[in-house]
Amino acid sequence: MSTPRALPESLTPHLRALAARSPAVARQFVAAAEESMASPFDLADPIGDAAKSPLPGLVHRYPDRVLLLPTMACAAHCRFCFRRDRLGEGRMTAAEIAAALDYVAARPQIHEVILSGGDPLTLPAAELAALLARIDAIPSVEVARLHTRLPVHDPARARRAAAALAAGRAARWVAVHVNHADELTAETRAALAALRGAGCFLVSQTVLLAGVNDSVETLSALFRALVALGVKPYYLHHPDRAAGTEHFRVPLARGREIMESLRGGLSGLALPAYILDIPGGHGKVWATDAFVAPAADGGWNVRAPDGSLHPYPADAPAATTVAPDGAK
Ligand code: SF4
């Protein structure tokens, strides 16, 4: 086991002010001593991007969609980041983007291009608009989806960036990464309104994190607030096994219990899918009995979309140091 890579602490002024009054935000963004601790269950490439990458910056895991990583920069560094080893690697070159778009254009079965990273909304507005226009020019692509945390990291910048997303041929979907209701400040709400105003459809993704949002009450409050803002809760991700993030891991059994309680208390509109990304690049599955079964060793067997079976370890509950008691 090697010591996890040290990720520089990076907070925007907006996050620093918010972290001062929200333990849940502080835990996500202020560097902690636990990050230097290695675990035997850490993975260098937690979701197997490299195994499914035919070209630099392009991940093709499912037949009908691709992931494009035009930048590995984010406006702030989430301490639990599953691509933390790649953060700061820089941007795709013009030649790499051209090759990736040629790859997409040559495969008409690809209907959706997902921009992630890093955070694609941190690209200069003209570059992002030009990239989206080139995606629009590929007739088989019907959806351009952007994954971003900029409305939480730097809401004023996200408001300005929203204009770059306006009026394209392919439908614009934005998956906003939000983990706690404390993140939905007035400024962040204004950024979400700007994205909606630009014509984007909004969904959310949340990572289940020990000491941040691993309770039914915290997640219910978040998902209800998102629906009220016109954002459909889409994914609740089981935390990936990136090195240096063990203190954020929630046992899969506990995540399934939380999800069961949420299912009883929230409308379908407010209920996301609880998702496990199978290590090794085998894809995402719902963490339900249809795909996940207890194994004899106390861990789990997970069935991938292609029917193959994969072991998944049982985690011990993380020793959290911060109660998820919301902003003061
Ligand atoms: S926004 Fe996503 S990619 Fe960026 S630091 Fe946070 S988790 Fe990592």
Side-chain angles (χ1 to χ4, degrees):
M1 276 188 298
S2 54
T3 305
R5 174 200 174 204
L7 179 67
E9 188 177 88
S10 171
L11 288 84
T12 57
H14 171 81
L15 281 177
R16 205 167 279 289
L18 190 54
R21 58 183 198 273
S22 168
V25 171
R27 182 163 168 82
Q28 293 180 73
F29 292 101
V30 176
E34 295 100 310
E35 293 173 34
S36 62
M37 287 160 43
S39 153
F41 299 115
D42 290 346
L43 297 170
D45 181 10
I47 62 169
D49 279 347
K52 301 289 178 181
S53 182
L55 292 169
L58 188 78
V59 181
H60 193 184
R61 206 184 310 272
Y62 309 99
D64 67 339
R65 53 204 186 273
V66 292
L67 191 64
L68 196 61
L69 309 173
T71 174
M72 291 312 297
C74 288
H77 289 167
C78 309
R79 308 315 303 172
F80 53 86
C81 180
F82 68 104
R83 291 201 179 104
R84 55 185 283 144
D85 278 354
R86 298 192 55 194
L87 279 184
E89 267 181 16
R91 307 225 295 256
M92 288 174 74
T93 64
E96 287 170 344
I97 287 181
L101 295 179
D102 285 348
Y103 178 98
V104 174
R107 290 165 178 77
Q109 72 272 23
I110 297 174
H111 297 300
E112 183 172 359
V113 175
I114 303 165
L115 304 184
S116 185
D119 194 326
L121 229 55
T122 64
L123 288 170
E127 268 181 50
L128 178 57
L131 175 57
L132 288 167
R134 291 169 74 183
I135 292 170
D136 281 335
I138 302 173
S140 51
V141 176
E142 296 159 339
V143 173
R145 189 196 329 166
L146 290 94
H147 285 199
T148 182
R149 192 146 161 74
L150 197 61
V152 171
H153 286 171
D154 189 344
R157 189 171 167 191
R159 272 177 80 174
R160 293 193 297 275
L165 275 63
R169 184 193 56 78
R172 303 288 194 251
W173 284 80
V174 175
V176 187
H177 179 164
V178 189
N179 294 332
H180 194 284
D182 287 358
E183 296 165 30
L184 297 172
T185 60
E187 296 90 338
T188 292
R189 288 165 188 252
L192 297 176
L195 288 165
R196 290 178 62 203
C200 301
F201 303 102
L202 301 188
V203 295
S204 68
Q205 337 188 56
T206 296
V207 183
L208 181 62
L209 297 167
V212 174
N213 59 13
D214 55 336
S215 78
V216 174
E217 298 73 26
T218 302
L219 288 173
S220 296
L222 170 63
F223 297 144
R224 287 204 174 97
L226 286 166
V227 171
L229 293 169
V231 183
K232 162 77 181 110
Y234 175 47
Y235 277 163
L236 173 64
H237 291 278
H238 189 70
D240 295 315
R241 315 190 71 84
T245 67
E246 190 177 33
H247 55 300
F248 284 116
R249 288 179 204 155
V250 179
L252 188 56
R254 173 67 185 140
R256 283 160 53 93
E257 271 172 24
I258 291 173
M259 197 61 205
E260 205 47 47
S261 298
L262 291 173
R263 203 172 279 125
L266 290 176
S267 78
L269 201 54
L271 198 65
Y274 180 37
I275 290 292
L276 177 66
D277 220 319
I278 305 172
H282 300 288
K284 290 184 179 67
V285 292
W286 293 356
T288 60
D289 290 349
F291 294 96
V292 172
D297 65 357
W300 302 88
N301 285 319
V302 186
R303 187 166 57 82
D306 66 3
S308 56
L309 281 181
H310 305 272
Y312 194 85
D315 287 297
T320 56
T321 53
V322 178
D325 54 355
K328 304 281 188 301

